[in-house]
């Protein structure tokens, strides 16, 4: 394990927070132990191919994960947890995801969306009752927000929490509940009319064995087949009034806050998965021989592997940047969206490239990279579908005028002058494009989805370029320096391409609108203005 | 409250009801967009975007972020619509 940045004050630069998994020396020691135990657990208990074919995580595997403390990562020490920061927790999730995505999702969901609402908003007595068993893995936590009629549009939630005497009653149906098959507690986002507002929403902790909680069968999925995904029906489920988490009626804001945490941990998982795919690819291209030499020696292969490595480097830099913001209690709403979109797409892209470079072997399940791609696919959908997140990010960017879009001070190093110059130029173009959208459309920009998505993608590319080069500067003299510059150059190119398309957003949207309207009419279901489902 | 203000209020409430798919009669001026109507920040912006299109007025997106109640939204729109334009627009609604 690398030393923490904090232990090397002379070397600390703006990008140093991106170079190490943790920033606190004491946390670094704990993390080193946890990672070692985690790797031992993986060697002994995790067989990814078996998990995939069984379509479940066995009770013995879950017990083994509990024994090494994987359910207490982010929970406070006073309840038996390790109180790890987001950055350290994420590093463990990343380590697990290198071995198996279903295991990583079970642990990451528990550490993030599952327990975060209780840690952050629960009453002391509720925390005392639940967090100890949760830290020990006796109670696995789950989060239930999505419904058959409410995917990305959480305001459409119909599950309803009402006062019933001195208690609360919950009615409704939740879909795609991760960890739902074996969860001992659910944090449920529900409408709560009359509790904190006429049409307010609240989050409530529901014991898994509460009367009226009915779990559906496991969903049959394309990937992460070991991860438990079920529907949960609440039929007059009775819950104590003190199980409301935080201020009644503030559930939607609270859900968005914990979703930012959950998205980031999930993005860490994407990094681990992409590292596994890259590792498998490097092993293959350096041993597989064609035309008298290793296929990795061919220029075309090198282009692919360099791009994959640069993408993984940028993904890792990005999640560490988000975790660093969180450690400094800076809001991570937008940053977590940037990381989620980039990392979920990056992981899928790296897995796809891995299959391509494996040739026909990649298409064979036994090789393992096909499973990696199947496992990666869902991350572009859950914890906020990327299409919707891009629109929301675009709205946030247009709605908030900022002095600078940069998050790190520019380096004065001449060594990085060329790439820094291209990032400066990209920032000016992104700023100009955002200002143009404000002036041209005003508040009506919120309905220009294609424009908003392209602006968001350009801003994501800018952030990627920035974190990549900052980490390169901090790791000057190592292999990472070249990788960071390569990643930044790629990101600038991507950003410039999206900005070129900003000017055509209105005409492209109009053209697509015409085509889509005819298609929908032919199928008899015109759906103008419908919100994409997650 | 004059007739124009009343019509602007009606228009705003009608737009809220359409976006939320609820009965306009249940929406009050004092309702908080978030807690009482279940609208998030994007929903508030969508509301103003719709009103901006219907009333043919320009609303700056940044100013729209701080609205808390239906009355706030009505006043915000009223500030940006000239009396003549308001009469002409809402008169035909």
């Amino acid at each position: 394990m690398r030393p923490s940045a904090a232990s090397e004050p002379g070397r600390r630069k703006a990008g140093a927070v991106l170079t190490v998994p943790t920033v606190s020396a004491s946390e670094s020691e704990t993390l080193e132990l946890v990672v070692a135990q985690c790797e031992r657990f993986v060697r002994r208990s995790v067989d990814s191919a078996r998990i995939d074919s069984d379509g479940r995580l066995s009770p013995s595997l879950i017990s083994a994960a509990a024994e090494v403390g994987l359910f207490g990562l982010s929970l406070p020490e006073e309840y038996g947890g390790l109180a790890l920061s987001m950055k350290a927790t994420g590093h463990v999730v990343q380590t697990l995801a290198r071995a198996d995505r279903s295991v990583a999702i079970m642990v990451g969901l528990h550490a993030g969306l599952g327990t975060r609402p209780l840690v952050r908003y629960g009453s002391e007595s509720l925390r005392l009752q639940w967090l100890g068993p949760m830290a020990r893995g006796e109670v696995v936590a789950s989060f239930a927000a999505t419904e058959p009629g409410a995917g990305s549009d959480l305001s459409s939630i119909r599950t309803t929490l009402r006062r019933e005497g001195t208690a609360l009653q919950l009615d409704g149906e939740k879909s795609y509940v991760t960890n739902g098959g074996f969860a001992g507690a659910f944090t449920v986002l529900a409408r709560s009319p009359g509790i904190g507002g006429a049409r307010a929403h609240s989050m409530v902790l529901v014991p898994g064995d509460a009367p009226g909680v009915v779990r559906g069968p496991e969903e049959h999925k394309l990937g992460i087949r070991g991860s438990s995904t079920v529907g949960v029906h609440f039929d007059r489920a009775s819950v104590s009034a003190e199980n409301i988490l935080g201020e009644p009626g503030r559930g939607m804001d609270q859900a968005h806050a914990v979703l930012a945490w959950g998205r980031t941990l999930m993005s860490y998982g994407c990094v681990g998965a992409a590292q596994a795919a890259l590792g498998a690819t490097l092993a293959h291209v350096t041993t597989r021989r064609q035309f008298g030499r290793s296929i990795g020696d061919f220029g075309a292969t090198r282009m692919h592997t360099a791009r994959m490595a640069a993408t993984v480097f940028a993904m890792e830099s990005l999640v560490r940047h988000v975790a660093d913001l969180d450690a400094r209690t800076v809001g991570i709403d937008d940053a977590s969206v940037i990381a989620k979109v980039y990392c979920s797409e990056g992981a899928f892209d790296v897995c796809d490239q891995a299959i391509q470079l494996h040739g026909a072997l990649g298409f064979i399940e036994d090789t393992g990279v096909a499973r990696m791609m199947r496992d990666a696919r869902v991350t572009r959908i859950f914890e906020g579908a990327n299409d919707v997140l891009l629109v929301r990010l675009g709205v946030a960017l247009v709605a908030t005028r900022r002095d600078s879009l940069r998050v790190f001070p520019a380096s004065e190093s001449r060594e990085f002058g060329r790439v820094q110059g291209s990032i400066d130029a990209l920032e000016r173009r992104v700023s100009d494009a955002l200002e143009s959208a404000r002036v041209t459309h005003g508040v009506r920009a919120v309905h220009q989805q294609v424009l908003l998505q392209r602006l968001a993608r350009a801003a994501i590319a800018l952030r990627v370029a920035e974190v990549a080069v900052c980490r390169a500067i901090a790791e000057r003299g190592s292999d990472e320096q070249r990788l960071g510059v390569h990643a930044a150059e790629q990101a600038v190119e991507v950003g410039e391409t999206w900005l070129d398309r900003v000017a055509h957003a209105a005409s492209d949207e109009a053209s697509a609108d015409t085509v889509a309207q005819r298609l929908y009419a032919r199928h008899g279901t015109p759906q103008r203005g419908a919100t994409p489902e997650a | 409250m004059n007739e124009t203000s009343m019509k602007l209020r009606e228009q705003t409430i009608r737009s809220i009801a359409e976006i939320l798919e609820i009965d306009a009669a249940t929406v009050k001026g004092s309702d908080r967009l978030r807690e009482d109507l279940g609208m998030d920040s994007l929903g508030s912006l969508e509301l103003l975007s719709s009103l901006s299109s219907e009333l043919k007025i320009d609303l700056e997106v940044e100013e729209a972020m701080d609205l808390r109640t239906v009355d706030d939204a009505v006043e915000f729109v009223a500030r940006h619509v000239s009396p003549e334009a308001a009469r002409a627009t809402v008169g035909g609604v």
Side-chain angles (χ1 to χ4, degrees):
Chain A
M1 180 174 298
R2 314 178 103 100
S4 76
S7 66
E8 295 178 286
R11 189 168 165 265
R12 189 177 172 103
K13 301 253 190 292
V17 295
L18 310 175
T19 64
V20 289
T22 181
V23 289
S24 131
S26 61
E27 188 175 53
S28 183
E29 284 174 22
T30 309
L31 182 59
E32 194 168 355
L33 289 170
V34 174
V35 168
Q37 284 180 318
C38 181
E39 288 171 344
R40 211 162 27 246
F41 156 74
V42 164
R43 280 195 303 275
R44 287 179 183 167
S45 307
V46 178
D47 177 345
S48 200
R50 176 84 187 271
I51 290 170
D52 185 64
S53 61
D54 286 356
R56 67 194 275 263
L57 298 174
S58 67
S60 62
L61 182 145
I62 296 172
S63 296
E67 277 169 27
V68 295
L70 291 179
F71 290 100
L73 299 174
S74 60
L75 301 189
E77 280 177 310
E78 59 265 41
Y79 305 104
L82 294 169
L84 294 181
S85 64
M86 174 193 275
K87 191 177 280 189
T89 304
H91 187 70
V92 177
V93 172
Q94 180 181 335
T95 304
L96 288 170
R98 276 201 292 272
D100 185 76
R101 203 66 201 274
S102 293
V103 175
I105 284 174
M106 172 184 69
V107 171
L109 193 287
H110 176 88
L113 289 173
T115 53
R116 195 73 194 157
L118 178 59
V119 170
R120 189 158 170 189
Y121 303 111
S123 66
E124 183 52 33
S125 62
L126 207 56
R127 285 151 52 108
L128 264 175
Q129 182 186 350
W130 287 98
L131 286 178
M134 284 177 172
R136 294 190 293 275
E138 294 160 13
V139 170
V140 179
S142 182
F143 183 79
T146 302
E147 296 182 5
S152 297
D153 179 14
L154 288 179
S155 63
S156 299
I157 278 174
R158 288 290 170 267
T159 295
T160 304
L161 187 70
R162 289 191 178 81
R163 290 199 191 283
E164 191 68 30
T166 56
L168 301 168
Q169 181 177 296
L170 188 67
D171 286 281
E173 189 178 352
K174 294 292 183 183
S175 310
Y176 313 127
V177 181
T178 301
N179 287 352
F182 47 75
F186 300 92
T187 294
V188 179
L189 178 65
R191 291 175 58 193
S192 57
I195 304 174
R199 284 175 59 88
H201 295 80
S202 296
M203 287 203 297
V204 62
L205 186 79
V206 181
D209 59 1
V213 176
V214 183
R215 299 163 210 244
E218 289 288 345
E219 301 285 1
H220 186 63
K221 306 189 292 288
L222 172 71
I224 55 163
R225 292 166 58 84
S227 172
S228 170
T229 310
V230 302
V232 181
H233 188 71
F234 300 99
D235 181 13
R236 291 187 294 172
S238 182
V239 186
S240 164
E242 81 155 12
N243 282 33
I244 287 189
L245 299 171
E247 189 183 338
R250 303 292 296 176
M252 199 60 88
D253 292 338
Q254 293 165 353
H256 281 299
V258 293
L259 276 165
W261 241 76
R263 271 197 294 270
T264 308
L265 291 184
M266 197 211 73
S267 301
Y268 267 100
C270 291
V271 179
Q275 285 175 326
L278 175 63
T281 304
L282 293 176
H284 180 73
V285 300
T286 51
T287 52
R288 167 82 169 160
R289 295 180 69 81
Q290 290 287 278
F291 306 106
R293 54 183 171 152
S294 298
I295 60 172
D297 288 343
F298 291 101
T301 307
R302 288 178 170 174
M303 279 296 287
H304 286 304
T305 51
R307 184 180 129 199
M308 291 164 74
T311 302
V312 173
F313 179 91
M315 290 164 64
E316 190 171 54
S317 309
L318 208 45
V319 291
R320 288 177 180 173
H321 157 63
V322 181
D324 178 59
L325 292 177
D326 184 72
R328 291 190 281 122
T329 64
V330 177
I332 60 166
D333 271 4
D334 293 349
S336 69
V337 167
I338 288 172
K340 194 273 184 182
V341 171
Y342 184 78
C343 291
S344 60
E345 293 181 352
F348 190 77
D349 184 42
V350 168
C351 290
D352 183 53
Q353 289 293 324
I355 290 178
Q356 191 67 23
L357 290 177
H358 275 79
L361 268 177
F363 201 63
I364 305 300
E365 284 287 354
D366 291 349
T367 312
V369 287
R371 182 179 64 250
M372 292 178 196
M373 190 180 80
R374 288 191 287 105
D375 287 348
R377 184 62 185 86
V378 74
T379 58
R380 287 159 54 194
I381 300 171
F382 67 11
E383 312 251 356
N386 286 10
D387 266 332
V388 179
L389 290 179
L390 283 167
V391 170
R392 283 184 170 270
L393 179 61
V395 169
L397 289 164
V398 171
T400 315
R401 202 176 257 117
R402 310 159 208 237
D403 291 338
S404 170
L405 294 167
R406 304 287 285 269
V407 286
F408 289 98
S411 167
E412 293 172 2
S413 166
R414 293 175 65 189
E415 194 180 352
F416 296 87
R418 208 186 73 175
V419 68
Q420 289 274 17
S422 63
I423 294 173
D424 290 343
L426 180 64
E427 186 199 5
R428 284 194 293 276
R429 274 194 79 190
V430 175
S431 293
D432 289 348
L434 289 170
E435 189 57 27
S436 172
R438 289 184 197 109
V439 171
T440 307
H441 301 287
V443 76
R444 274 172 277 190
V446 74
H447 281 133
Q448 307 290 318
Q449 292 202 336
V450 174
L451 172 67
L452 292 169
Q453 289 187 334
R454 290 178 184 183
L455 290 168
R457 285 199 177 278
I460 289 172
L462 173 62
R463 182 68 57 86
V464 169
E466 198 184 356
V467 296
V469 85
C470 273
R471 183 171 164 195
I473 292 167
E475 302 207 42
R476 188 178 301 177
S478 69
D479 288 347
E480 275 69 19
Q481 176 183 332
R482 187 59 228 161
L483 204 48
V485 171
H486 190 56
E489 288 170 345
Q490 277 186 9
V492 168
E493 194 178 320
V494 169
E496 296 285 357
T497 304
W498 280 114
L499 285 169
D500 290 343
R501 299 308 305 167
V502 162
H504 304 282
S507 58
D508 286 354
E509 186 163 0
S511 171
D513 191 54
T514 306
V515 173
Q517 283 299 316
R518 288 182 183 174
L519 283 171
Y520 298 159
R522 200 183 300 165
H523 288 271
T525 52
Q527 288 284 321
R528 279 193 80 104
T531 306
E533 277 295 319
Chain B
M1 187 183 297
N2 62 33
E3 187 185 356
T4 304
S5 298
M6 282 183 60
K7 286 188 173 172
L8 270 180
R9 175 176 297 276
E10 284 170 19
Q11 174 96 30
T12 303
I13 288 175
R14 191 160 47 243
S15 292
I16 289 172
E18 278 172 16
I19 289 169
L20 296 175
E21 298 178 15
I22 58 175
D23 181 359
T26 64
V27 180
K28 302 189 295 291
S30 60
D31 280 349
R32 295 164 295 176
L33 298 175
R34 196 168 281 258
E35 295 89 345
D36 295 323
L37 297 174
M39 269 185 160
D40 60 9
S41 55
L42 185 57
S44 313
L45 288 171
E46 282 179 350
L47 164 68
L48 292 174
S49 175
S50 299
L51 291 169
S52 168
S53 297
E54 287 168 23
L55 299 172
K56 297 184 175 54
I57 54 174
D58 291 325
L59 300 176
E60 283 202 26
V61 65
E62 280 178 297
E63 294 177 34
M65 296 297 280
D66 298 325
L67 305 180
R68 287 186 43 78
T69 66
V70 174
D71 282 339
D72 287 348
V74 174
E75 284 166 24
F76 177 75
V77 172
R79 277 205 305 278
H80 288 80
V81 64
S82 68
E84 299 76 25
R87 272 194 295 276
T89 310
V90 299
V93 174

